[in-house]
Structure formats: C-alpha cells, structure tokens
Amino acid sequence: MGLLTLGTPLAWGDAQGHAAHVRRHGIAQFLHVWAALKTRRRDKLLWGDEIEYAVVAFDDAARAHDVLLRLEAREAAANGQISWSFKPEYGRYMLEGTPAGPYGFLIEDLLAVEPNMRERRALAQSYLKENEALVSITNFPLLGVNQPSSFLDPPSSPTPSGGASNSLFIPDEAINPHPRFRTLTQNIRERRGSKVAINVPIFKDVNTPVPFLEPAPPCLVQNGENKTLPELVPDAKPDHIYMDCMCFGMGCSCLQVTFQACSVEEARRLYDQLAVMTPIMMALSAGAPIFRGYLADVDCRWDVISGSVDDRTREERGLDPLKSSRFNIPKSRYASISTYLSPGPLYSGGCSQDPDVFSPMVTTLPPPKDTYYDAKYNDIPLVHDKDIYKELTQNGIDDLLAKHYAHLFIRDPIVVFTEKLDLDDSTSTDHFENIQSTNWQTMRFKPPPPLSPIGWRVEFRSMEIQLTDFENAAYSVFVVLLTRTILSFDLNLYMKLSLVDLNMATGQKRDAVLKEKFWFRKNVFGNPARRPAEFDGFAVAVPSVAAAAAAGDSYDDAVELTVDEIINGKANEFPGMVPLIRAYLSAAPNLSYSTLKGLNEYLDFISRRAAGKIPTGARWIRNFVMGHPEYKGDSVVSQSVAYDLMKKVDELGKTAGRVAGYSL
Ligand code: ADP
Ligand code: MG
Ligand code: MG
C-alpha cells in the first residue's frame, strides 16, 4: 500500500480538469529524480514482502479497521523499535503487514522472513476477539453474498443506486473509511461511465443448472417477480459469476515482493527478466477458486482485480469511435506489463564488486552488448503519449524508459487532492506517484524517493497470498533467490511479451499448474562463460547478441512447458529454475548448514507444488468444498460450508499448516 495523503479528494467532475496538470508535473518530478539519481550505485539487495490479511468474524464483527488503528498507534509509539508495520488496504476488513524495514542483503537474511511473518500474524491476532480470525486467503468466499444473511458485520445492505460502489452486492461499509478508497471507487466508475463489469466462468459441477442463471439479488426483485440476474442486468452473462464493483478485486489479498537493485540498470534488467516469471508464479500460487459464494472455473484473482478497476471509457475500450478520449487502450490499468525496460545501450556496468554483496559470484558485469534485449520482444503495440515521450527523450531519457513512462502516463489521475495540486517538482514526487502507483501492473519499477537512502527497486506483483506463513515465506524467498540466480548466471529469459500475455491468461485457468502449458524461452544461458558446468548439456550456446541474431529464431525459440518443467526442469531440454537456484547456492561461499537446510525446505516445497505433489491453495480449497457433506454438487458454497472452510483456514494459519489433510 502506498502513501495515504490526508486531504480533500476531488470528485471526478473536478479531478478530470487537473489531469494534464498532474501528468505534466509528474513527468517533471520524475526528471528531477532521474537527474539526481540515475548514477546512484552500489545499493545492496535489500528486500521486503507485503502480506494482505482479512479479518473474519465467526458469527459477528469484522473489525480490521479498529485493529489497524490500534496497531498504528503502537507502531508510532514504538519509535522504530519494532520489526513490523501495518498499513490500511482497500477493504475495511483488511490489513497489510510488512517488515518495519527491509531485510538484509545476505543469504542468511532470507531466513528472517518467516519469523517476521509469524510475528506479524501473532501480533495482529492478539488484537482480535475470541470469535475473530486473521486469515491470509486470496478471496473471502462469501464476499458480496447477502443471503441468507449479510457477509459483512455489522450487517449492512448494498446501495445499488447511491454511494461510491453502486453495487448490487457490496455495501460501501466494506470499503476502508479513508477518503482515498471511496473516491477511487466512485471516480473509476464515473470516469468509465458505468459500473465495472466482471464475469468469471462458473465451475460446472454435476448438479449445476445448465445454463447457470443466477436468481436476481433481493434488491432487484420487484413485485415478487421471478427473474434471473442476466435477464435484469445486461452486463451479467449466463454461465458466469457476475461482479460489479471495485471491492471484488481490490478486496482480495495478494503477496508482493520488492527488492532493491544495485543500480538503475540492474533494476531494469531484473524488471524484464522477472516479468516473464510473473504468470508462472501466479499459476503456482493460485488461491482463488471461489467468488461471491460460487465455485469458479478459474483459480486466480487476476482478471477479477483487473476488471474491478477498469476505468477505461467506451471509446478507450474501442466500443465507440474516439471523440473525447485520447487513446484506444487495450488493457485495464491493472494488467500485465506492456513493454520491456531493458537497460539497452545505457548499460554501463554496476556495482556488484562489493565484497559483501548478496551475490558473491558476480564479479564483473557483462559488456553492454550482452544485455540480450532485442526490439522484437516488445511485440505488443504500445499505447503511449507522444508528447510525454518527446519531453522525456529531449531530457536525455532513452527510448525504452521514455516509452515506459509515456505508456503509464496515458492514464488520468483518479484521486486528486485539492491541497496537493501545486507542489515543488524538485522535492515532491506526489504527482508522479499518483499516476505510477495507480498503474497496477505485474511488475513495478520504483525510482528512489527524493532525499532518501532508498535505491532503485523492482516489485514483483502477480502472486496470490498463501494460507500459511511458511508458504508465503517460501514464495518470497524463491523470487529473491531467482533474482540472484538470474544475475549470477547471467540468464536470458526474454521472449515476446505477447507470449507472456498468453501465459497470464493460461495461468488463471483451473488447475493450470497441472494441466496447462506455458510459453518459455528454451535457451536461457545467453553467456556460456557463466553457465555452471552441470548444465553444459542444455541448449545452444550463443556467444554474442550478434551471433544470436544470425542464428535467428532457433536461438530465440520459445517452447511450451508445464510449470513443473519450468520450475523443476525437463531432461535434456530445460534446466529448471529450482536446479538453477540450487546451483547458485552450492557455489555461494560460507553458507552454513542451517541456512542451506532452511532454504532447501522452501525450494523443496516450491518444487513439489510445481510437480503437483502438493496441491495449490486453490485446489485445496476446492477439494475442501467439494468434499464437504453439505455441498450439493451445484457450485454453491453455502454459508455453513464457508464457515467450516474459514475455521480450517484459521487453524492452518495458527498452526503453521499443521492440520490433517494439508501438506507442506
Ligand atoms: P508499495 O510500493 O507496494 O506501497 P512499500 O513501499 O510499502 O510498497 O514497500 C514494500 C516492501 O518494500 C516492504 O516489505 C518494505 O519493507 C520493502 N522495502 C522498503 N525499503 C526498501 C528498500 N530500500 N529496498 C528494498 N525493499 C524495501
Ligand atoms: Mg497492498
Ligand atoms: Mg506493493
């Protein structure tokens, strides 16, 4: 969660008029940061996670917001002498917990994350009442269900024709009371010109009606009429679960990892390489098989959250010819990235010579030509603001970085605070952050805040939250180790971005980990000098980018692999990310036995889940529902089934996963 400004947010009608101002000054603010910090070097690989939790009440009371206020007061009084931090999130029932400051840059420090997560969970739990639970589940299964009773406590009714959401299902009381969140909700809807419309395919079980036509919610039923939801609401599709407001997506919980790079060039390189991994890690962390009380035919939240903040006008969505909107925009502002950021010709070395850096194997960086980027990988037509592009390039920003920001800045600011309009661009980044932080993409490239010790960072944003701290630690550690391994072995994961987008669609399908194939680059060793000997048997060795170009597509081939093959390897064809990470660790000097043992537990877990030996959270939840004696085979997750599920999820969190029928 980013900074929450105090002040008076403008309604859409007023905010709209300030969009150009915010964009212009946002870019000016970025240019100040760039001029001051583009040569910032030798930052350490500090990193941190963000875990979003929901507070659920068994029988009554969802008070996460009250708990948050007390945690914040305690944090303020502690004067920095604490190891955790809690922040608000979109839902009033949500909390976001992070470490107080980033973890250290040593491999040993990776083992600090799980104890820190446990401490956060225990602490927040200690503020709850007897009948409440802190859960880390991607989506609360009854979110938006009002029958037989309200999913919210205290109970309240949705207000379809008033307030911020105008939802048929979710009352505004579910939203965090900070004005930013309601304003975001209302202004997204007003900018779009209608409510958001999300349709997730229903999972068709043996007794699911064909076609599946949901009965209309009570607020739509007039004179006892017996009409279905799709009959009354044109946006609601048959055979789908329909959702109509921001809370359905932003009210979900996810796991994000931010890490600092040693320089802007390294940050850009990691941004690109990891972008390829975002769909794979989304599929591997799948945790959302239920929406609004129905089993869905998808396992992930991604398209739901993407649709939940889709503020594009009809013109921008290509439904009407462009008249008052400026661009045709193919994606929501919550979406996969649309352009690689490669260091390109800027690549000028780095800073890994420090004796104490995290990655002891990197002693020199590859020469500029070996950055592997090629324009052909950026194969998605990139909508961007030509004037902003020009402004940036005229101020010395290279083509790719200028395109990146000219792309993010096609969006309007959604929340504009009256008090924050006129700012000193040389010291403030508020306008820049306004647009930057409402581009919710799979990766985020984060420039250093002005006048701070913080360096260039990259955020990995596609993963779903896991039910236990062990799992959340395992995914976080895996991603951090992946960054080290990519840098150490100089891996090249580039493939066309259109294929990464296909993988995003594939990764959300039910049981994608087991059943689907994903595009992936076959030849990941771009630099034979950096290839560990045990992988000599793999793929074509191409000595330089020039030779790669000569070798053409055979060098660049993307092949279709399962998640298991990508993570664990495929004999004679693909080395696998876990074996690569193990090779990285085995070459790291002075690792203690206990560190290695701890890290191996995480790697073993990731490896077994990828291989299907341990079900994903989504599969486990599905099995729980479908095996429940009260489940009727009709895709409906009733209140009592959801109750038992949440009891089990609570127990899982509290016992660190030691519950019969749950494997880690
Ligand atoms: P967001 O941009 O999503 O609001 P935050 O600023 O809250 O993210 O931080 C996300 C994570 O980044 C936290 O775990 C935090 O500890 C970590 N973090 C803070 N400073 C640094 C740093 N210098 N390098 C890397 N990670 C950092
Ligand atoms: Mg968050
Ligand atoms: Mg974040």
Side-chain angles (χ1 to χ4, degrees):
M1 181 63 238
L3 191 69
L4 287 181
T5 310
L6 287 175
T8 325
L10 293 172
W12 180 242
D14 301 320
Q16 210 169 5
H18 297 293
H21 173 90
V22 171
R23 274 194 293 267
R24 190 167 63 249
H25 289 281
I27 290 295
Q29 291 167 359
F30 172 71
L31 286 169
H32 277 285
V33 169
W34 180 257
L37 298 167
K38 67 182 171 200
T39 54
R40 192 185 156 113
R41 288 274 182 287
R42 303 174 83 85
D43 280 318
K44 305 236 172 4
L45 178 105
L46 306 177
W47 68 285
D49 64 278
E50 293 164 72
I51 292 199
E52 294 168 350
Y53 309 90
V55 171
V56 298
F58 296 99
D59 310 322
D60 58 352
R63 298 179 307 115
H65 188 65
D66 305 339
V67 172
L68 176 70
L69 296 180
R70 291 168 64 200
L71 284 167
E72 282 180 335
R74 177 156 165 188
E75 187 174 338
N79 253 329
Q81 301 303 304
I82 39 165
S83 47
W84 47 266
S85 173
F86 282 93
K87 308 234 168 41
E89 250 307 325
Y90 182 84
R92 190 185 195 120
Y93 53 87
M94 293 171 80
L95 293 175
E96 181 178 287
T98 65
Y103 304 110
F105 55 86
L106 299 173
I107 297 189
E108 286 77 359
D109 294 325
L110 290 168
L111 295 185
V113 56
E114 190 180 340
N116 190 287
M117 287 173 175
R118 285 178 197 247
E119 187 188 352
R120 273 178 258 162
R121 184 183 292 268
L123 181 74
Q125 254 158 0
S126 72
Y127 281 78
L128 301 186
K129 294 185 197 153
E130 189 79 349
N131 67 330
E132 294 173 332
L134 183 85
V135 291
S136 47
I137 188 168
T138 303
N139 186 28
F140 177 59
L142 299 181
L143 183 73
V145 175
N146 297 291
Q147 278 181 311
S149 59
S150 168
F151 72 96
L152 204 63
D153 197 281
S156 41
S157 303
T159 53
S161 49
S165 301
N166 284 14
S167 169
L168 296 169
F169 314 102
I170 298 207
D172 284 349
E173 282 78 3
I175 307 174
N176 185 306
H178 188 284
R180 170 182 155 89
F181 297 102
R182 273 160 205 254
T183 310
L184 263 176
T185 311
Q186 177 151 344
N187 288 2
I188 283 175
R189 180 168 54 71
E190 288 182 7
R191 187 185 188 286
R192 176 182 168 95
S194 65
K195 287 202 291 187
V196 295
I198 306 154
N199 283 282
V200 167
I202 186 101
F203 168 69
K204 293 206 173 121
D205 208 345
V206 284
N207 295 327
T208 312
V210 183
F212 167 76
L213 300 166
E214 198 186 335
C219 57
L220 281 186
V221 177
Q222 283 182 340
N223 314 324
E225 265 178 345
N226 203 9
K227 290 219 165 120
T228 66
L229 181 63
E231 277 174 295
L232 293 173
V233 177
D235 277 344
K237 292 191 199 160
D239 288 328
H240 286 73
I241 309 159
Y242 166 68
M243 290 167 275
D244 66 345
C245 73
M246 184 165 169
C247 192
F248 281 111
M250 286 298 199
C252 289
S253 293
C254 68
L255 171 67
Q256 297 172 338
V257 186
T258 291
F259 35 86
Q260 183 164 282
C262 74
S263 64
V264 61
E265 292 84 1
E266 189 183 271
R268 296 173 66 170
R269 180 172 169 202
L270 286 174
Y271 177 95
D272 284 8
Q273 298 298 315
L274 289 172
V276 176
M277 288 302 292
T278 53
I280 313 302
M281 296 312 292
M282 177 189 67
L284 191 58
S285 63
I290 304 172
F291 291 95
R292 204 159 59 65
Y294 293 106
L295 283 173
D297 209 29
V298 301
D299 272 355
C300 296
R301 80 202 186 288
W302 191 267
D303 276 357
V304 174
I305 195 163
S306 172
S308 82
V309 289
D310 189 354
D311 70 337
R312 291 171 303 158
T313 62
R314 285 182 59 83
E315 295 177 20
E316 286 170 341
R317 278 176 280 148
L319 300 173
D320 292 336
L322 280 181
K323 276 201 296 237
S324 41
S325 295
R326 299 185 304 146
F327 309 100
N328 226 270
I329 309 180
K331 293 182 189 176
S332 162
R333 51 200 302 159
Y334 203 115
S336 51
I337 67 157
S338 292
T339 177
Y340 284 120
L341 248 191
S342 141
L346 263 186
Y347 204 102
S348 58
C351 27
S352 301
Q353 293 92 334
D354 262 9
D356 54 352
V357 289
F358 196 86
S359 166
M361 298 181 60
V362 178
T363 47
T364 52
L365 283 156
K369 275 189 173 171
D370 274 346
T371 58
Y372 306 131
Y373 171 75
D374 190 297
K376 72 182 166 203
Y377 301 129
N378 264 331
D379 68 334
I380 301 180
L382 191 72
V383 188
H384 63 283
D385 184 319
K386 302 270 181 325
D387 294 334
I388 290 178
Y389 176 80
K390 201 164 139 208
E391 161 97 29
L392 287 166
T393 46
Q394 280 173 349
N395 280 282
I397 309 289
D398 60 284
D399 173 66
L400 282 168
L401 192 56
K403 286 237 175 77
H404 172 74
Y405 282 117
H407 166 63
L408 298 191
F409 274 66
I410 57 175
R411 310 285 174 175
D412 280 344
I414 313 177
V415 181
V416 177
F417 287 91
T418 357
E419 295 84 350
K420 291 273 183 172
L421 271 173
D422 292 311
L423 303 168
D424 176 354
D425 292 340
S426 65
T427 53
S428 166
T429 51
D430 273 37
H431 291 318
F432 169 75
E433 284 296 338
N434 190 333
I435 308 272
Q436 152 106 342
S437 68
T438 49
N439 268 279
W440 296 281
Q441 300 188 340
T442 37
M443 295 293 301
R444 185 177 285 161
F445 174 65
K446 297 175 168 175
L451 309 175
S452 91
I454 300 174
W456 294 89
R457 290 148 305 149
V458 175
E459 186 180 20
F460 192 91
R461 301 168 47 85
S462 67
M463 291 188 287
E464 311 232 307
I465 200 76
Q466 305 297 300
L467 301 173
T468 67
D469 295 321
F470 172 83
E471 292 162 276
N472 285 311
Y475 281 86
S476 306
V477 165
F478 179 82
V479 172
V480 178
L481 281 175
L482 201 54
T483 67
R484 300 301 91 189
T485 304
I486 288 168
L487 294 176
S488 229
F489 297 150
D490 203 357
L491 298 185
N492 174 5
L493 308 184
Y494 275 121
M495 62 180 181
K496 291 179 175 167
L497 262 183
S498 58
L499 297 180
V500 178
D501 272 3
L502 285 179
N503 288 350
M504 271 316 275
T506 307
Q508 299 174 60
K509 292 188 183 164
R510 179 162 49 89
D511 292 326
V513 171
L514 304 178
K515 294 186 182 152
E516 302 295 332
K517 291 206 166 191
F518 294 79
W519 290 103
F520 213 83
R521 188 185 176 91
K522 188 163 181 251
N523 181 26
V524 294
F525 295 112
N527 183 350
R530 288 283 186 77
R531 188 179 54 228
E534 63 256 52
F535 299 109
D536 277 353
F538 284 102
V540 215
V542 175
S544 70
V545 169
D553 281 348
S554 67
Y555 166 73
D556 255 341
D557 265 358
V559 289
E560 287 189 281
L561 298 173
T562 61
V563 169
D564 183 23
E565 290 162 349
I566 294 168
I567 298 293
N568 292 318
K570 183 176 183 187
N572 305 320
E573 283 185 49
F574 190 76
M577 295 303 169
V578 164
L580 283 164
I581 291 175
R582 290 197 205 276
Y584 164 72
L585 288 175
S586 70
N590 305 326
L591 271 192
S592 71
Y593 172 75
S594 62
T595 304
L596 208 52
K597 182 166 171 286
L599 296 179
N600 271 329
E601 278 175 25
Y602 295 139
L603 292 176
D604 288 345
F605 166 73
I606 295 284
S607 161
R608 281 154 54 79
R609 194 168 254 181
K613 292 179 189 149
I614 298 179
T616 61
R619 184 25 80 190
W620 181 83
I621 292 172
R622 240 178 238 290
N623 287 347
F624 184 93
V625 170
M626 296 174 75
H628 194 286
E630 285 175 43
Y631 174 67
K632 299 197 178 73
D634 56 358
S635 320
V636 174
V637 182
S638 69
Q639 216 139 355
S640 61
V641 173
Y643 183 98
D644 291 345
L645 172 64
M646 296 315 290
K647 279 279 182 201
K648 197 57 110 183
V649 167
D650 181 27
E651 198 187 338
L652 275 174
K654 285 186 177 139
T655 61
R658 279 187 288 278
V659 159
Y662 201 78
S663 34
L664 288 175

